[in-house]
Amino acid sequence: MRGGGGGGGGDTFTVDDALLTLGFGKYQYFVLAYAALAWVSEAMEMMLLSFIGPVVKRIWRLSAKEQSLITSVVFMGMLVGAYSWGVIADKYGRRKGFLMTALVTTAAGFMSSFSPNYATLLVLRCVVGIGLGGGPVLCSWLLEFIPPPNRGTWMVVFQAFWTVGAVFEASIAWAVMPTLGWRWLLAFSSIPSFGLLIFYLWTPESPRYLCLNGKIKEAMTILDRIAKVNGTEVPSGTLVSDDHVVASDQDSTPTKRHKQGALTTIFKLLSRELIRPTLLLWVVFFGNSFSYYGLVLLTTELNAGRSACAGHKVKAEETEDVNYKDVFITTFAEFPGLIIVALTVDRVGRRLSMAVLFFICCVLIFPLVFQQSDMVTTGLLFGSRICITATFTTLFIYAPEIYPTAVRSTGFGAASSMGRIGGMVCPYVAVALVQGCHETAAIGMFEVIIILSGVSILLIPIETKGRELSDKVKQRCQP
């Protein structure tokens, strides 16, 4: 609690103070469950790319570059969506932001299963990508309901549902693709998105967002609801935001500085206080997405590509399009990756743990420069996937903690957009280069990008371990 901060000189409290008092209870479990459903949905829509690409390539007689484009267009859409949904969420609210993303993802995801040709599939998967770009909005929304001491732990739990979705998608693909085909896989993968629309009416707006925008009465209503469900009480005193928006019984008009457009938000992200962490974060997001999705694609391409390049093209064409067993095994690598995050994120810290894991990933990938047996290749990809999953998970905890509330969704979304560029590029390395018999060059590019990501994360001057979220830029940027 903070004394003397209110207009009348009495006790005041912030949303973080209230969340500390209210604790992590039944209300947060509901919020987590909704966010988890969205995360499962996004993971499934992303993982299916490694399954449908090889199949439609054969059916529609596509080139390696055309196959790569099926994945790249999704990231093109996410590049647009990640920033756009972030601006919408910071201006109009988190809740409206993820409603729009769910509508777009659900409709385009289901319709893509009826694609009559390659061009239609590209357009619809690009629209799916636009919807999936709203993932950072959901992360910011969930983050703003969790008390500071629990944030690291519960964000790891949240990220675990990405792995659940990835494993579930691999399981469905293994069962559905050989019998029903790729269209049914697309249709089944859109089902979780329908669940988001069904439960949307019961989702609350972020009290932190409301408080920052002067809607104190509405913020207090939500805090009172949390207290009732959790069986606790809201602190006594006056609710204020970190920059001392004074509470009143009537909703006040948001201050002028919170009425920001897209350009104003970008200027804030590139201001003197935020430009260094922002630019470095963009590099890390690019490298992390390139590496994560690249490793997923390498799982389906590396052994098959080397077999074809060794002169066994006929044999490669006679086998199934995807080795579902290898994909299923390497996807399980995400679970130990999550355990590593749970053990390190609040002990070692966000930055150091990510840097170490990036460098270990480089060591594990390096032997793939040389010809390896299928078993060794799968084992090395398994270990690499553990590391890159851990960095991916930690980064999604760390990034929104850097930014103040006013630009949190936009800052996270802009960084995520840079990651989408990495996702757009990686198919041309993990698929086109490998199928073109340039495996050494492909692995070399992975090495360089992962090392650059590890160095960049160490250069960011902010460690957020144990720190509260803030509404002020200045406080967030102190090393």
Side-chain angles (χ1 to χ4, degrees), residues 301-459:
E301 297 293 337
L302 201 55
N303 287 328
R306 283 176 170 169
S307 177
C309 292
H312 306 298
K313 293 182 182 288
V314 174
K315 181 181 178 181
E317 289 176 0
E318 290 176 350
T319 59
E320 59 184 347
D321 299 293
V322 178
N323 189 325
Y324 296 101
K325 180 181 178 181
D326 283 354
V327 176
F328 189 75
I329 291 172
T330 54
T331 301
F332 265 96
E334 300 204 4
F335 285 110
L338 291 168
I339 294 172
I340 290 173
V341 176
L343 295 174
T344 60
V345 70
D346 283 329
R347 293 179 176 87
V348 178
R350 280 62 158 155
R351 292 162 58 247
L352 181 59
S353 59
M354 278 191 280
V356 170
L357 288 163
F358 274 128
F359 297 141
I360 293 175
C361 187
C362 279
V363 173
L364 292 171
I365 289 176
F366 182 74
L368 295 176
V369 171
F370 310 101
Q371 183 74 39
Q372 306 291 341
S373 68
D374 289 359
M375 182 177 294
V376 172
T377 298
T378 300
L380 291 171
L381 289 173
F382 185 92
S384 303
R385 188 83 172 264
I386 290 175
C387 295
I388 214 66
T389 295
T391 60
F392 200 100
T393 302
T394 307
L395 187 60
F396 266 68
I397 297 170
Y398 176 66
E401 292 178 331
I402 287 179
Y403 293 109
T405 303
V407 295
R408 180 167 297 120
S409 288
T410 305
F412 190 12
S416 183
S417 293
M418 296 301 108
R420 306 319 175 189
I421 296 176
M424 288 164 51
V425 175
C426 78
Y428 295 97
V429 177
V431 177
L433 277 183
V434 171
Q435 290 187 8
C437 302
H438 301 293
E439 299 92 345
T440 300
I443 299 302
M445 289 190 67
F446 275 94
E447 290 280 279
V448 171
I449 290 173
I450 293 172
I451 289 174
L452 183 61
S453 301
V455 172
S456 296
I457 197 66
L458 288 175
L459 293 176

Side-chain angles (χ1 to χ4, degrees), residues 1-23 148 207-208 210-212 215-227 232-249 468-469 471:
M1 305 302 165
R2 297 161 174 82
D11 287 340
T12 62
F13 64 93
T14 65
V15 172
D16 268 341
D17 293 330
L19 291 175
L20 277 169
T21 303
L22 298 173
R208 177 180 286 276
L210 293 170
C211 184
L212 180 67
K215 298 181 179 181
I216 305 300
K217 186 177 180 181
E218 294 177 26
M220 281 298 301
T221 299
I222 293 174
L223 291 175
D224 286 335
R225 195 179 305 151
I226 295 174
T232 53
E233 294 184 0
V234 177
S236 59
T238 303
L239 175 63
V240 297
S241 70
D242 280 352
D243 60 352
H244 300 292
V245 176
V246 180
S248 64
D249 290 334
E468 294 183 356
L469 296 181
D471 298 333

Side-chain angles (χ1 to χ4, degrees), residues 16-37:
D16 268 341
D17 293 330
L19 291 175
L20 277 169
T21 303
L22 298 173
F24 193 101
K26 293 180 180 178
Y27 197 93
Q28 280 85 356
Y29 283 119
F30 165 74
V31 173
L32 176 63
Y34 188 84
L37 181 61

